[in-house]
Every structure is written in structure tokens, then in C-alpha cells.
């Protein structure tokens, strides 16, 4: 079982955290170059962001349904970024995880890495008695994905991999203000809903407790 070096960043501006990820990514890649091989310098950021919408490099900007003054009115910002996936929302009450790790060190590929991330979130949900799963053709973690009329997403995933080093990651809705999802087509989907731990369990969640469960489930998989 491999342990990551976790850092709880707290509530941090999206662009500042993106820049911080890039800095760590460069450090890990430099370490790999110096060693001329894999590195155990594996970092894992846990963070919440102020209201922000991010669009992946292959995403469709039309999936952002509001612009300009309305974004200011709801205290939200918008960034086009360098991860995969379409549009998603981040905000207070949502747990965002950014593993910045060397896939060569763990001897896994990108697909397996994403599946491990999904597995860790599914295991976290199971801890709270919620059955999560995958939706064929769509990354992330879903509830009732086999019932189109009820399918809803609880965790979005979007990553970037550069020289086998990862950045970006997952966004798990914990106590998220779900109104903000009404201003986008989440992850580019027009027909599926979104949900949160709070909505599913009917109570406000202890964010620190959720963080500890998430860390434990990731550690069990590596």
C-alpha cells in the first residue's frame, strides 16, 4: 500500500491552485529527469474552490449557459483549461482532489489510473451506504446509471497527463450548492442530473470526515 503526500489546501482560488499544480508537476518531472526513471515524489492536493466553471480542452463552450454580467452576479468565474472532459462546476462544499503522481512509479496507464480514481470514490460512497457506479462511455461516478430517467452524477473526473505525470483530478459533490449546475450542461450532458452526498443522505456532511475517508480509499488502491 503506497501512501501519497497529502496536502489540504482549504478554500483556494481556482487559478492559484492551477498554477500551484503546474509548479508541483514541474518538480515531479524534474525529479524524474534527475533520477532518469520513476519517482516516488507523489503529491495529492485536497481543496475547495470559490464558484468557478472550467471547460476542458475538447469541451464545447455552448455548454456554459450564462455569461458576462450574470457570472458576476452569482460570484462565479470561468476558465478554459488543459484537462480532458467538457464543462464542470467547482464551488464551496465540493471536495476536489488533484493527484500529481508518476504513473510509471505505480506501473499503470491512464485508463487504469482513471478507473482507480473512480473505484476510490465508489468505495467512499459505499462507506456512507450509497451505491455508486460507472456510466458506459462517460468518466466519473454515477448513481442509478443503468436507469436513464434516474441517472445522476455525483463525481466528475478530468485529468491531464504529461510525461506520465498527472494533474487535475476529481470533484466530489459533498455539500455542494446544486443550483450552480443549472447554469451549465454538466460535463456536456443534456439529459442526466447531478447530485451530492448531502442530497442523497438528507443531511449536511462533515467535510473533514469525507476527506479522511477519501484518503483511506485511495491508499487502499495503491
Amino acid at each position: 500500500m503506497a501512501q501519497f503526500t497529502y496536502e489540504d489546501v482549504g478554500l483556494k482560488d481556482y487559478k492559484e491552485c492551477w498554477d500551484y499544480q503546474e509548479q508541483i508537476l514541474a518538480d515531479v518531472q524534474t525529479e524524474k529527469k534527475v533520477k532518469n526513471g520513476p519517482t516516488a515524489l507523489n503529491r495529492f492536493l485536497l481543496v475547495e474552490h470559490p464558484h468557478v466553471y472550467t471547460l476542458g480542452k475538447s469541451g464545447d463552450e455552448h455548454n456554459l449557459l450564462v455569461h458576462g454580467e450574470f457570472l458576476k452576479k452569482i460570484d462565479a468565474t470561468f476558465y478554459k483549461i488543459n484537462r480532458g472532459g467538457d464543462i464542470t462546476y467547482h464551488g464551496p462544499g465540493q471536495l476536489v482532489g488533484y493527484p500529481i503522481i508518476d504513473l510509471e512509479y505505480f506501473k499503470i496507464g491512464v485508463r487504469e489510473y482513471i478507473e482507480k480514481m473512480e473505484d476510490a470514490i465508489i468505495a467512499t460512497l459505499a462507506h456512507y451506504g450509497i451505491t455508486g457506479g460507472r456510466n458506459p462511455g462517460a468518466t466519473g461516478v454515477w448513481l442509478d446509471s443503468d436507469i436513464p430517467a434516474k441517472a445522476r452524477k455525483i463525481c466528475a473526473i478530468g485529468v491531464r497527463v504529461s510525461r506520465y505525470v498527472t494533474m487535475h483530478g476529481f470533484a466530489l459533490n459533498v455539500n455542494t450548492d446544486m443550483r450552480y449546475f443549472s447554469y451549465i450542461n454538466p460535463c456536456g450532458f443534456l439529459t442526466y442530473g447531478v447530485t451530492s452526498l448531502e442530497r442523497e443522505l438528507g443531511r449536511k456532511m462533515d467535510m473533514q470526515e469525507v476527506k479522511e475517508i477519501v484518503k483511506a480509499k485511495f491508499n487502499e488502491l495503491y
Side-chain angles (χ1 to χ4, degrees):
M1 181 176 69
Q3 297 286 334
F4 303 100
T5 300
Y6 290 99
E7 181 180 352
D8 189 339
V9 183
L11 182 69
K12 191 174 183 68
D13 174 79
Y14 185 84
K15 183 61 167 62
E16 289 180 13
C17 198
W18 185 10
D19 290 342
Y20 188 38
Q21 285 188 75
E22 292 280 11
Q23 174 191 324
I24 297 171
L25 177 83
D27 291 343
V28 175
Q29 289 178 334
T30 297
E31 175 77 4
K32 287 191 68 175
K33 189 173 182 180
V34 169
K35 292 186 65 178
N36 194 28
T39 176
L41 186 65
N42 294 297
R43 302 279 297 278
F44 199 132
L45 308 181
L46 293 171
V47 63
E48 294 177 63
H49 293 302
H51 302 297
V52 61
Y53 296 102
T54 67
L55 183 71
K57 57 188 178 183
S58 59
D60 183 349
E61 196 166 340
H62 290 97
N63 286 319
L64 176 64
L65 307 179
V66 296
H67 299 87
E69 289 302 315
F70 192 83
L71 280 175
K72 293 180 182 177
K73 182 179 177 181
I74 61 174
D75 294 320
T77 52
F78 171 67
Y79 292 100
K80 294 180 181 179
I81 63 173
N82 58 355
R83 61 160 170 79
D86 207 283
I87 198 163
T88 196
Y89 160 76
H90 300 308
Q94 181 190 72
L95 177 58
V96 181
Y98 296 131
I100 306 169
I101 66 175
D102 180 11
L103 297 183
E104 285 191 310
Y105 175 82
F106 294 107
K107 296 182 171 62
I108 59 174
V110 177
R111 183 66 253 172
E112 186 178 355
Y113 166 64
I114 292 173
E115 288 174 353
K116 279 180 176 287
M117 195 180 297
E118 291 168 339
D119 286 340
I121 299 302
I122 289 169
T124 299
L125 298 178
H127 175 85
Y128 290 102
I130 298 172
T131 301
R134 295 181 173 87
N135 192 338
T139 58
V141 177
W142 301 72
L143 309 186
D144 294 320
S145 63
D146 56 338
I147 309 173
K150 294 179 65 178
R152 55 210 185 276
K153 196 170 195 175
I154 196 166
C155 180
I157 290 176
V159 304
R160 176 192 174 210
V161 179
S162 176
R163 299 176 186 172
Y164 299 100
V165 181
T166 67
M167 64 179 292
H168 300 297
F170 69 85
L172 173 63
N173 295 324
V174 180
N175 300 314
T176 314
D177 185 342
M178 306 306 288
R179 293 174 299 174
Y180 279 79
F181 285 101
S182 67
Y183 306 129
I184 60 173
N185 296 320
C187 301
F189 293 106
L190 301 176
T191 56
Y192 295 120
V194 288
T195 191
S196 67
L197 278 169
E198 179 184 23
R199 178 174 285 184
E200 295 298 319
L201 296 175
R203 59 184 172 87
K204 188 74 73 173
M205 306 301 296
D206 182 330
M207 180 64 86
Q208 193 57 45
E209 177 187 271
V210 175
K211 288 176 183 178
E212 293 305 317
I213 299 301
V214 166
K215 289 193 289 186
K217 298 308 179 184
F218 269 92
N219 285 341
E220 289 171 7
L221 289 171
Y222 284 87

